[in-house]
Amino acid sequence: MPAFGQRPPSTRDAQGDHVPRPLKPLDPTRSAAHWFGAELQYWRKLRGLSQDRLGQLVHLSGDLISKIERAERPCKLHHAQALDTVLDTGGVLARSVALAEAELDNRSGEMDKRRGAAVKPPRKDLLGGRLELPPPASEWNESDPMERRNFLAATSAALAAGPLAQLLTSTPAAAVPEVVRPADMEQIRTAATTLRSWDNLYGGAGVVRDTALAQLRWAAGLLNSRCPDPLRAELFGAVSRLATVVGASAFDAFAHEDAHRLFAFATSCAEEVDNWPLRAISYNLRSRQAIWRGDPDSGLTFAELGLARADRLSPAERSMLHNARARALAKMGRTQQTMAAIGASDDSFAAIAPAAEGPWMAYYDSAQHHGDTGHALFDLALAGHPPEEALRRLQAAVDGHGEGFARSRAFSRTKLATLRMAAGDPEQALSESRSALAEVSDLRSLRANHELAELGRVAQRHRSLADIRDLREQIAATVAA
């Protein structure tokens, strides 16, 4: 019996009898057309239909169905609509046709002339599954409205079309409605709030990633549904917000290419409807990820792009982005500029009126502000700047973060312990280090593990102390697990 994704054509043995010759499994990551074929095969098998029987139901030959599944022939829109009806997919195949057609257009149309060569979407992981996505943000011009819309359309279609490779044997995703309603936006906003809460509490891996993926696929699919004009800005804003939350979870799980593209998608959604606050949030996250990946120069650029038209941002949003600038500048060793950026952040923070801030900035309280600025000062302190102010701010963050922000508290506590250890006070650092170890052990966060590993490396200088040796062994075991 052929494996999933294989056709059973036959060849002849020495006696002239037919024997099975399995083909390679379908690979939905090769192109949008191959992806469409894998989707068609998934739904056909789910409904228990052979290629011939499905062909009869939609007035096509079984051979043509086979060729569409293997991406040897394109599927026309009216055929995809007929297949959706027979297979009861909720319109998945008809929406996927647009992505395949866009890929063909990109390979032969004006975009190819401008770039000088055909652009082939790279194969990347999206939260654990294989998926074709448009090129990274570095390969398209964000200032070009047409190119941004092409990126936006292709990404939303890609996210909506699932199920992905790891979900091919699971129950189908909920169908995306044909017409957008206010209740749909409320569902997206609730999902973003809930997922962000889980992400802060548990980290970005595990069940958070699986749930985030399903919610984002459904939400992005709404961008291809009919949307009444009064709801358009609200829809794009809600999807942008959810994309930043899912991207942040991917970032926390070190799925960096996924996070990079999701943040760019969030920026595009926000810019499509001139939502400056959500644009700022997406650029803040893009800045932080670039800094984390060792590219503070790009991080500084993203932060300053986020601050464009700062007059349209709230005090909390400006403070957030000045923090991103400070962290980039600190990594670059620019002490005076870092201190100036922290001063600008402090000034904006002092002007915050909580009731006037958007709900997306509710997280940005005194603890968050002190933690973010403390992280920038931490890098300066390790380079020789006096550590007292960094220690004060990190301690304020640890004391201020409630139980709902367990990961943020663990980050700040680990930085605090590391700085105390680096300052030559291992006895005082030991208690803080044990608390950080306990908090990180309760999370599923690769970033938190990375911070803990840094604490272990700094503690190495005090390895002559038995308690420090024991601490380093525990840290090593936690990070390895």
Side-chain angles (χ1 to χ4, degrees), residues 18 152 157 256-257 437 444:
H18 287 282
L152 184 63
H256 287 300
E257 290 303 315
L437 176 63
R444 290 185 176 273

Side-chain angles (χ1 to χ4, degrees), residues 235-298:
L235 172 63
F236 275 83
V239 175
S240 175
R241 179 73 182 118
L242 182 59
T244 61
V245 171
V246 179
S249 290
F251 175 21
D252 196 54
F254 282 8
H256 287 300
E257 290 303 315
D258 301 340
H260 176 77
R261 293 177 180 220
L262 287 165
F263 293 151
F265 177 51
T267 301
S268 293
C269 286
E271 290 181 340
E272 188 70 16
V273 291
D274 294 328
N275 191 318
W276 292 85
L278 291 179
R279 176 183 180 278
I281 287 175
S282 67
Y283 270 122
N284 172 61
L285 288 165
R286 295 170 79 171
S287 174
R288 289 168 183 265
Q289 187 194 22
I291 296 165
W292 184 273
R293 300 187 75 180
D295 186 6
D297 188 69
S298 292

Side-chain angles (χ1 to χ4, degrees), residues 443-464:
L443 300 172
R444 290 185 176 273
S445 169
L446 293 183
R447 282 195 298 151
N449 283 353
H450 179 88
E451 299 283 10
L452 193 63
E454 183 179 23
L455 170 59
R457 287 191 294 272
V458 173
Q460 167 74 6
R461 66 187 65 179
H462 304 294
R463 60 185 178 277
S464 60

